Amino acid sequence: MKIFHLSDLHIGKQLNGYSLKENQEAVLNQIVDYGLAHHPDAILICGDIYDKTAPSGEAYTMFGNFLEALSGIKPQISVLIIAGNHDSPERLSYASAFLERHNIHLSVFPPRNREEYLKKVVLRDENGPVNFYLLPFLKPGYVRQLFPDNQPDGYESAVRTVLERETIDARERNILLSHQFYAAGNKDPETCESEQAVIMAG
């Protein structure tokens, strides 16, 4: 299965008061051109679509035009999107039902009650199904209602407990979309003020 993986577009970002609009539009147009040329089975957009939780109208228009151009590629390419820590889940989820009809799948909140699970999208190629699990950015407070008797005590605990609720068949091909800062084996990574580490041991 051929996949494009994108993240941290930070649409609407400015550097020292200088707008990156032209640069960002050029990059998004280049991605569309690559999509036309290589026609992946899926395009994964893994968080931080916007640079701010309250993006400008110009940023909304830029991302909307990008999705419209991707949805115009035939045969249609599946687009899977999760929210990052810079995104507003409520704003990003606008028109999600309409987008789903155009093969654009959004997940902006992690499961927040016991009836909810990660959004799962199944795509197929000549070798059978591939299961995509969409895990938007989460803080421990986002999922506390899932575990009233055993509250997660940090980012690692929160991510681990959410994943452990899922029934994932390891014999199949599975892909997790996530927007967290991961490190292996109890290492203490360097992060900036907008990043929180998930250290997955074992």
Coordinates of all heavy atoms in Angstrom, one line a residue, residues 126-192:
E126 N -4.2 -5.1 -2.9 CA -4.1 -6.4 -3.5 C -3.7 -7.5 -2.4 O -4.0 -8.7 -2.6 CB -3.1 -6.5 -4.7 CG -1.7 -6.2 -4.3 CD -1.3 -4.8 -4.2 OE1 -2.2 -3.9 -4.4 OE2 -0.1 -4.5 -4.1
N127 N -3.2 -7.0 -1.3 CA -2.8 -8.0 -0.2 C -3.9 -8.0 0.9 O -3.6 -8.7 1.9 CB -1.5 -7.6 0.4 CG -0.3 -7.7 -0.7 OD1 -0.2 -8.7 -1.3 ND2 0.4 -6.6 -0.8
G128 N -5.0 -7.4 0.7 CA -6.0 -7.4 1.8 C -6.2 -6.2 2.5 O -5.7 -5.1 2.1
P129 N -6.8 -6.2 3.7 CA -7.1 -5.0 4.5 C -5.9 -4.4 5.2 O -5.0 -5.1 5.6 CB -8.2 -5.5 5.4 CG -7.9 -6.9 5.7 CD -7.4 -7.4 4.3
V130 N -6.0 -3.1 5.4 CA -5.0 -2.4 6.3 C -5.9 -1.6 7.2 O -6.8 -0.8 6.7 CB -4.1 -1.5 5.5 CG1 -3.2 -0.7 6.5 CG2 -3.3 -2.2 4.5
N131 N -5.7 -1.7 8.5 CA -6.5 -1.1 9.5 C -5.8 0.2 10.0 O -4.7 0.1 10.5 CB -6.8 -2.0 10.7 CG -7.4 -3.3 10.3 OD1 -8.4 -3.4 9.5 ND2 -6.8 -4.4 10.7
F132 N -6.5 1.3 9.8 CA -5.9 2.6 10.3 C -6.7 3.0 11.6 O -7.9 3.1 11.5 CB -6.1 3.7 9.2 CG -5.2 3.4 8.0 CD1 -5.7 2.6 7.0 CD2 -4.0 4.1 7.9 CE1 -4.9 2.4 5.9 CE2 -3.2 3.9 6.7 CZ -3.7 3.0 5.7
Y133 N -6.0 3.2 12.7 CA -6.6 3.7 13.9 C -6.2 5.1 14.1 O -5.0 5.5 14.1 CB -6.1 2.8 15.1 CG -6.6 1.4 15.0 CD1 -5.8 0.4 14.3 CD2 -7.7 1.0 15.6 CE1 -6.3 -0.9 14.2 CE2 -8.2 -0.3 15.5 CZ -7.5 -1.2 14.9 OH -7.9 -2.5 14.8
L134 N -7.1 6.0 14.3 CA -6.9 7.4 14.4 C -6.9 7.9 15.8 O -8.0 7.9 16.5 CB -8.0 8.2 13.6 CG -7.8 8.3 12.1 CD1 -7.8 6.9 11.4 CD2 -8.9 9.1 11.4
L135 N -5.7 8.3 16.4 CA -5.6 8.7 17.7 C -5.2 10.2 17.7 O -4.0 10.5 17.6 CB -4.5 7.9 18.5 CG -4.1 8.4 19.9 CD1 -5.4 8.3 20.8 CD2 -3.0 7.5 20.4
P136 N -6.1 11.1 17.9 CA -5.8 12.6 18.0 C -4.9 12.9 19.2 O -4.9 12.0 20.1 CB -7.2 13.3 18.1 CG -8.2 12.2 17.8 CD -7.6 10.9 18.1
F137 N -4.3 14.0 19.2 CA -3.6 14.5 20.4 C -4.4 14.4 21.6 O -5.6 14.7 21.6 CB -3.1 15.9 20.2 CG -2.4 16.5 21.4 CD1 -1.1 16.1 21.7 CD2 -3.1 17.4 22.2 CE1 -0.5 16.6 22.9 CE2 -2.4 17.9 23.4 CZ -1.2 17.5 23.7
L138 N -3.8 13.8 22.7 CA -4.6 13.7 23.9 C -3.7 14.1 25.1 O -2.5 13.9 25.1 CB -5.2 12.3 24.1 CG -4.3 11.1 24.4 CD1 -3.9 11.0 25.9 CD2 -5.0 9.8 24.0
K139 N -4.4 14.7 26.1 CA -3.8 15.0 27.4 C -4.5 14.0 28.4 O -5.7 13.6 28.1 CB -4.1 16.4 27.8 CG -3.4 17.5 27.0 CD -3.7 18.9 27.5 CE -3.0 19.9 26.7 NZ -3.2 21.3 27.2
P140 N -3.9 13.7 29.5 CA -4.6 12.8 30.4 C -6.0 13.2 30.8 O -6.9 12.4 31.0 CB -3.6 12.8 31.6 CG -2.3 13.1 31.1 CD -2.5 14.0 29.9
G141 N -6.2 14.5 31.0 CA -7.5 15.1 31.3 C -8.6 14.8 30.3 O -9.8 14.7 30.7
Y142 N -8.2 14.6 29.0 CA -9.2 14.3 28.0 C -9.9 12.9 28.2 O -11.0 12.8 27.7 CB -8.5 14.3 26.6 CG -8.0 15.6 26.1 CD1 -7.4 15.7 24.9 CD2 -8.1 16.8 26.8 CE1 -6.9 16.9 24.4 CE2 -7.7 18.0 26.4 CZ -7.0 18.0 25.1 OH -6.6 19.2 24.7
V143 N -9.2 12.0 28.8 CA -9.7 10.6 28.9 C -10.0 10.2 30.3 O -10.2 9.0 30.5 CB -8.7 9.6 28.2 CG1 -8.6 10.0 26.7 CG2 -7.3 9.7 28.8
R144 N -10.0 11.1 31.3 CA -10.2 10.7 32.6 C -11.6 10.0 32.9 O -11.7 9.1 33.7 CB -10.1 11.9 33.6 CG -8.6 12.3 33.7 CD -8.3 12.9 35.0 NE -6.8 13.0 35.2 CZ -6.2 14.2 35.0 NH1 -6.8 15.3 34.7 NH2 -4.9 14.2 35.2
Q145 N -12.6 10.4 32.1 CA -13.9 9.8 32.3 C -14.0 8.4 31.8 O -14.9 7.6 32.2 CB -15.0 10.6 31.5 CG -15.2 12.0 32.2 CD -16.4 12.7 31.4 OE1 -17.3 12.1 30.9 NE2 -16.3 14.1 31.5
L146 N -13.0 8.0 31.0 CA -12.9 6.6 30.6 C -12.5 5.7 31.7 O -12.8 4.5 31.7 CB -11.9 6.4 29.5 CG -12.3 6.8 28.1 CD1 -11.1 6.6 27.1 CD2 -13.4 5.9 27.6
F147 N -11.8 6.2 32.7 CA -11.2 5.4 33.7 C -11.4 6.0 35.1 O -10.5 6.4 35.8 CB -9.6 5.3 33.5 CG -9.3 5.0 32.1 CD1 -8.8 5.9 31.2 CD2 -9.4 3.7 31.6 CE1 -8.4 5.7 29.9 CE2 -9.1 3.4 30.3 CZ -8.6 4.4 29.4
P148 N -12.7 6.1 35.5 CA -13.1 6.7 36.8 C -12.4 6.1 38.0 O -12.2 6.8 39.0 CB -14.6 6.6 36.8 CG -14.9 5.5 35.9 CD -13.9 5.5 34.9
D149 N -12.1 4.8 37.9 CA -11.6 4.1 39.1 C -10.0 3.9 39.0 O -9.4 3.5 40.0 CB -12.2 2.7 39.2 CG -13.7 2.7 39.3 OD1 -14.2 3.7 40.0 OD2 -14.4 1.9 38.7
N150 N -9.4 4.3 37.9 CA -8.0 4.2 37.7 C -7.5 5.3 36.8 O -7.2 5.0 35.7 CB -7.7 2.8 37.2 CG -6.2 2.5 37.1 OD1 -5.4 3.1 37.8 ND2 -5.8 1.6 36.3
Q151 N -7.4 6.5 37.4 CA -7.0 7.6 36.6 C -5.6 7.5 36.0 O -4.7 7.2 36.7 CB -7.1 8.9 37.4 CG -8.5 9.2 37.9 CD -9.4 9.7 36.8 OE1 -9.1 10.7 36.1 NE2 -10.5 9.1 36.5
P152 N -5.4 7.9 34.7 CA -4.1 7.9 34.2 C -3.3 9.0 34.9 O -3.8 10.1 35.1 CB -4.3 8.2 32.7 CG -5.6 8.8 32.6 CD -6.4 8.2 33.7
D153 N -2.0 8.7 35.2 CA -1.2 9.6 36.0 C -0.2 10.4 35.1 O 0.7 11.0 35.6 CB -0.5 8.9 37.1 CG 0.4 7.8 36.6 OD1 0.5 7.6 35.3 OD2 1.0 7.1 37.4
G154 N -0.3 10.3 33.8 CA 0.5 11.1 32.9 C 0.3 10.7 31.5 O -0.7 9.9 31.2
Y155 N 1.0 11.3 30.5 CA 0.8 11.1 29.1 C 1.0 9.7 28.7 O 0.2 9.1 28.0 CB 1.7 12.0 28.3 CG 1.3 13.4 28.2 CD1 1.5 14.3 29.3 CD2 0.5 13.9 27.1 CE1 1.1 15.6 29.2 CE2 0.1 15.2 27.1 CZ 0.4 16.1 28.1 OH -0.1 17.4 28.1
E156 N 2.1 9.0 29.2 CA 2.3 7.6 28.8 C 1.1 6.7 29.3 O 0.6 5.9 28.5 CB 3.6 7.1 29.4 CG 3.8 5.6 29.0 CD 5.0 5.0 29.7 OE1 5.8 5.7 30.4 OE2 5.1 3.7 29.6
S157 N 0.7 6.9 30.5 CA -0.4 6.1 31.0 C -1.7 6.3 30.2 O -2.4 5.4 29.9 CB -0.6 6.5 32.5 OG -1.7 5.8 33.0
A158 N -2.0 7.6 29.9 CA -3.2 7.9 29.1 C -3.2 7.3 27.8 O -4.1 6.6 27.3 CB -3.3 9.4 29.0
V159 N -2.1 7.4 27.0 CA -2.0 6.8 25.7 C -2.0 5.3 25.8 O -2.8 4.6 25.0 CB -0.7 7.3 25.0 CG1 -0.5 6.5 23.7 CG2 -0.7 8.7 24.7
R160 N -1.3 4.7 26.7 CA -1.3 3.3 26.9 C -2.6 2.7 27.2 O -3.1 1.7 26.6 CB -0.3 2.8 27.9 CG 0.0 1.3 28.0 CD 1.0 1.0 29.1 NE 2.3 1.5 28.9 CZ 3.2 0.9 28.1 NH1 2.9 -0.2 27.5 NH2 4.4 1.5 27.9
T161 N -3.4 3.3 28.1 CA -4.7 2.8 28.5 C -5.7 2.9 27.4 O -6.6 2.1 27.2 CB -5.2 3.5 29.8 OG1 -5.1 4.9 29.7 CG2 -4.4 3.0 31.0
V162 N -5.6 4.0 26.6 CA -6.5 4.2 25.5 C -6.3 3.1 24.5 O -7.2 2.4 23.9 CB -6.4 5.6 24.8 CG1 -7.0 5.6 23.5 CG2 -7.0 6.6 25.7
L163 N -5.0 2.8 24.2 CA -4.6 1.8 23.2 C -5.0 0.4 23.7 O -5.4 -0.5 22.9 CB -3.2 1.8 22.8 CG -2.7 3.1 22.1 CD1 -1.2 3.0 21.8 CD2 -3.4 3.2 20.7
E164 N -4.9 0.1 25.0 CA -5.2 -1.2 25.5 C -6.7 -1.5 25.4 O -7.0 -2.7 25.5 CB -4.7 -1.3 26.9 CG -3.1 -1.5 27.0 CD -2.6 -1.4 28.4 OE1 -3.4 -1.0 29.4 OE2 -1.4 -1.7 28.6
R165 N -7.5 -0.5 25.3 CA -9.0 -0.8 25.2 C -9.3 -1.3 23.8 O -10.4 -1.8 23.6 CB -9.7 0.5 25.4 CG -9.7 1.1 26.8 CD -10.4 2.4 26.9 NE -11.9 2.2 26.9 CZ -12.7 2.6 25.9 NH1 -12.1 3.3 24.9 NH2 -14.0 2.4 25.9
E166 N -8.5 -1.1 22.8 CA -8.8 -1.4 21.4 C -8.5 -2.9 21.2 O -7.6 -3.5 21.8 CB -7.9 -0.6 20.5 CG -8.1 0.9 20.6 CD -9.4 1.3 20.2 OE1 -10.0 0.8 19.2 OE2 -10.0 2.3 20.8
T167 N -9.3 -3.5 20.3 CA -9.1 -4.9 19.9 C -8.4 -4.9 18.6 O -9.0 -4.7 17.5 CB -10.5 -5.6 19.8 OG1 -11.2 -5.5 21.0 CG2 -10.2 -7.1 19.4
I168 N -7.0 -5.0 18.7 CA -6.2 -4.9 17.5 C -5.6 -6.3 17.2 O -4.9 -6.8 18.1 CB -5.1 -3.8 17.7 CG1 -5.7 -2.4 17.9 CG2 -4.1 -3.8 16.5 CD1 -4.7 -1.4 18.3
D169 N -5.8 -6.8 16.0 CA -5.3 -8.1 15.6 C -3.9 -7.9 15.1 O -3.7 -7.4 14.0 CB -6.3 -8.7 14.6 CG -5.9 -10.2 14.3 OD1 -4.8 -10.6 14.6 OD2 -6.8 -10.9 13.7
A170 N -2.9 -8.4 15.8 CA -1.5 -8.2 15.4 C -1.2 -9.0 14.2 O -0.1 -8.8 13.6 CB -0.6 -8.6 16.6
R171 N -2.1 -9.9 13.8 CA -1.8 -10.7 12.6 C -2.1 -9.9 11.3 O -1.7 -10.3 10.2 CB -2.6 -12.0 12.6 CG -2.2 -13.0 13.8 CD -3.3 -14.1 13.9 NE -4.6 -13.5 14.2 CZ -5.7 -14.3 14.3 NH1 -5.6 -15.6 14.2 NH2 -6.9 -13.7 14.6
E172 N -2.9 -8.8 11.5 CA -3.2 -8.0 10.4 C -2.3 -6.8 10.2 O -1.5 -6.5 11.1 CB -4.7 -7.5 10.5 CG -5.7 -8.7 10.5 CD -7.1 -8.2 10.6 OE1 -7.3 -7.0 10.8 OE2 -8.0 -9.0 10.5
R173 N -2.4 -6.1 9.2 CA -1.6 -4.9 9.0 C -2.4 -3.7 9.6 O -3.5 -3.4 9.3 CB -1.4 -4.6 7.5 CG -0.5 -5.6 6.8 CD -0.3 -5.3 5.3 NE -1.6 -5.4 4.6 CZ -1.7 -5.0 3.3 NH1 -0.7 -4.4 2.7 NH2 -2.9 -5.2 2.7
N174 N -1.7 -3.1 10.6 CA -2.3 -2.0 11.4 C -1.4 -0.8 11.4 O -0.2 -0.9 11.5 CB -2.6 -2.5 12.8 CG -3.5 -3.7 12.9 OD1 -4.6 -3.7 12.6 ND2 -2.9 -4.8 13.4
I175 N -2.1 0.4 11.3 CA -1.3 1.6 11.3 C -2.0 2.6 12.3 O -3.2 2.8 12.2 CB -1.3 2.3 9.9 CG1 -0.5 1.4 8.9 CG2 -0.7 3.7 9.9 CD1 -0.4 1.9 7.5
L176 N -1.2 3.1 13.2 CA -1.7 4.1 14.2 C -1.3 5.5 13.7 O -0.2 5.8 13.5 CB -1.2 3.8 15.5 CG -1.6 4.8 16.7 CD1 -3.0 4.7 17.0 CD2 -0.7 4.6 17.9
L177 N -2.4 6.4 13.6 CA -2.1 7.8 13.4 C -2.1 8.5 14.7 O -3.1 8.4 15.5 CB -3.2 8.5 12.5 CG -3.1 8.2 11.0 CD1 -3.4 6.8 10.6 CD2 -4.1 9.2 10.3
S178 N -1.0 9.2 15.1 CA -0.9 9.8 16.4 C -0.1 11.1 16.3 O 0.7 11.2 15.4 CB -0.2 8.8 17.3 OG -0.1 9.3 18.6
H179 N -0.4 11.9 17.2 CA 0.3 13.2 17.3 C 0.7 13.4 18.8 O 0.1 14.1 19.5 CB -0.6 14.4 16.8 CG 0.2 15.7 16.7 ND1 0.8 16.1 15.5 CD2 0.6 16.6 17.6 CE1 1.4 17.2 15.7 NE2 1.3 17.6 17.0
Q180 N 1.7 12.7 19.2 CA 2.3 12.7 20.5 C 3.8 12.7 20.3 O 4.3 12.4 19.2 CB 1.9 11.6 21.4 CG 0.4 11.3 21.5 CD -0.3 12.3 22.5 OE1 -1.5 12.5 22.4 NE2 0.5 12.9 23.4
F181 N 4.6 13.1 21.3 CA 6.0 13.0 21.3 C 6.4 11.7 22.0 O 6.3 11.6 23.2 CB 6.6 14.2 22.1 CG 8.1 14.4 21.8 CD1 8.5 15.5 21.0 CD2 9.0 13.6 22.3 CE1 9.8 15.7 20.7 CE2 10.4 13.8 22.0 CZ 10.8 14.8 21.2
Y182 N 6.9 10.8 21.1 CA 7.2 9.4 21.6 C 8.8 9.3 21.8 O 9.5 9.8 21.0 CB 6.8 8.3 20.7 CG 5.3 8.2 20.6 CD1 4.5 8.9 19.7 CD2 4.6 7.3 21.5 CE1 3.1 8.7 19.7 CE2 3.2 7.2 21.5 CZ 2.5 7.9 20.6 OH 1.1 7.8 20.5
A183 N 9.1 8.6 22.8 CA 10.5 8.2 23.0 C 10.6 6.8 23.5 O 9.7 6.3 24.2 CB 11.3 9.1 23.9
A184 N 11.6 6.0 23.2 CA 11.7 4.6 23.6 C 12.6 4.5 24.8 O 13.5 5.2 25.1 CB 12.3 3.8 22.4
G185 N 12.1 3.5 25.6 CA 13.0 3.0 26.7 C 13.3 4.0 27.8 O 14.5 4.1 28.2
N186 N 12.4 4.7 28.4 CA 12.6 5.5 29.6 C 13.6 6.7 29.3 O 14.1 7.2 30.3 CB 13.1 4.7 30.8 CG 12.0 3.7 31.2 OD1 10.8 4.0 31.2 ND2 12.4 2.5 31.5
K187 N 13.8 7.1 28.1 CA 14.7 8.2 27.9 C 13.9 9.5 28.1 O 12.7 9.5 27.9 CB 15.3 8.1 26.4 CG 16.2 6.9 26.2 CD 16.8 6.9 24.8 CE 17.7 5.7 24.6 NZ 18.2 5.6 23.2
D188 N 14.7 10.5 28.4 CA 14.0 11.8 28.7 C 14.3 12.7 27.5 O 15.4 13.3 27.4 CB 14.6 12.4 30.0 CG 13.6 13.3 30.7 OD1 12.4 13.4 30.2 OD2 13.9 13.9 31.7
P189 N 13.4 12.9 26.5 CA 13.7 13.7 25.3 C 13.6 15.2 25.6 O 13.1 15.6 26.6 CB 12.6 13.3 24.4 CG 11.4 13.0 25.3 CD 12.0 12.4 26.6
E190 N 14.3 15.9 24.7 CA 14.2 17.4 24.8 C 12.9 17.8 24.1 O 12.6 17.3 23.0 CB 15.3 18.0 24.1 CG 16.7 17.8 24.8 CD 17.8 18.5 24.1 OE1 17.5 19.3 23.2 OE2 19.0 18.2 24.4
T191 N 12.1 18.6 24.7 CA 10.8 19.1 24.2 C 10.8 20.6 24.3 O 11.4 21.2 25.1 CB 9.6 18.5 24.9 OG1 9.6 18.8 26.2 CG2 9.6 17.0 24.7
C192 N 9.9 21.3 23.5 CA 9.7 22.7 23.6 C 8.4 22.9 24.4 O 7.8 21.9 24.9 CB 9.5 23.4 22.2 SG 8.1 22.9 21.3

